[in-house]
Amino acid sequence: GVATLIIVMAVMNGFRAELLGRILGINGHLGVYGYANVLLDYDRLADSIRDIPGIRHVTPTLEGQVMVTGRNHAQGALVRGVRGPDLLSHEVIAKNFNGDIKAFDNNDGVVIGSRLSTKLGLGVGDTITMIAPKGQVTAFGTVPRMRSYQIIGTFNVGMYEYDSSYIFMPLDEAQIFFQMKDRNAVTHLEVVLDNPDLVPKVRVQMAERIGDAASVYDWQ
C-alpha cells in the first residue's frame, strides 16, 4: 500500500510539473498590465522588480490579434512582440525550435507555431501576410492594413493552442505594425518565477513597487 501511494504521488507530481511547464512555457507566472493595454516606461518598471527574490525573467511584451494568410488559407492568430534575448529565455521554445533563432532580432522576420505553418502550407523562408484588425481610415472608407513577413523559424511546444495560433516578432517591428502612438510602450510585462508556488508572495512585493502605474495578475 505504501509503495502504491508513493508511485501514484510520483506520477501525479510529474504530471503536474509537465502540465505547468507546457501551459506556462510561453506565458509568465505573473503579468503587469497597463491601463487600456498601454504600459509606458516599461523598461523602468521591469528594472524595478527584477531584483525581487524568486523572479527569473521579466519580458516586455506587445500583444495583438491579427488575421494571417498563407496558401489558400486564412485564420486568426495572436502576435507577441518581444526582444530576441527574451524569446531565447523561453526554454520550451528554444529547445523545440526549427530555424536560426539568433536571427530573430536581425531582420523583420517572424517565428510561428509548427501547426500554424502546416495549416497555412508555409515553412521556414516562406512569406506570411498579417492583416491588422484596425485598418487605415481614408476618404474611401477604412482600408485593411496588411504587411508580409518572412518566416525565419517555427516552434513546437506540444500544446495545440500555442502551436496553432501564436506568432512571435521583434518588439520594435510589433510597435510599428500595431501603430503604438508612443514607441516606448508595450501592452504588458511577462514575469517568470523560479517556482510557480511563490506567486502570492511575489505578487504582493511587485504591487508595492509598481504602485498605481499598472495592475498585476497571476497565472491562476
Side-chain angles (χ1 to χ4, degrees), residues 32 42 45-47 49-50 55-60 86 189-192:
V32 180
Y42 55 89
L45 288 175
D47 291 338
I49 62 176
R50 278 196 174 97
I55 291 182
R56 184 187 304 172
H57 299 296
V58 181
T59 303
D86 292 327
L189 301 177
E190 291 278 352
V191 181
V192 178

Side-chain angles (χ1 to χ4, degrees), residues 64-143:
Q65 295 181 342
V66 298
M67 177 71 74
V68 294
T69 61
R71 293 171 179 158
N72 301 320
H73 187 82
Q75 76 164 64
L78 187 69
V79 174
R80 284 190 172 180
V82 297
R83 292 164 176 157
D86 292 327
L87 181 62
L88 283 170
S89 70
H90 292 289
E91 295 181 2
V92 69
I93 292 180
K95 292 179 180 179
N96 301 279
F97 191 83
N98 176 34
D100 184 10
I101 196 170
K102 295 182 180 179
F104 182 71
D105 268 346
N106 297 333
N107 52 37
D108 58 357
V110 298
V111 175
I112 70 174
S114 59
R115 291 181 181 269
L116 178 59
S117 69
T118 301
K119 286 183 179 180
L120 299 176
L122 302 174
V124 176
D126 292 332
T127 299
I128 187 174
T129 301
M130 299 197 304
I131 305 172
K134 295 182 179 180
Q136 296 176 336
V137 179
T138 68
F140 301 99
T142 302
V143 178

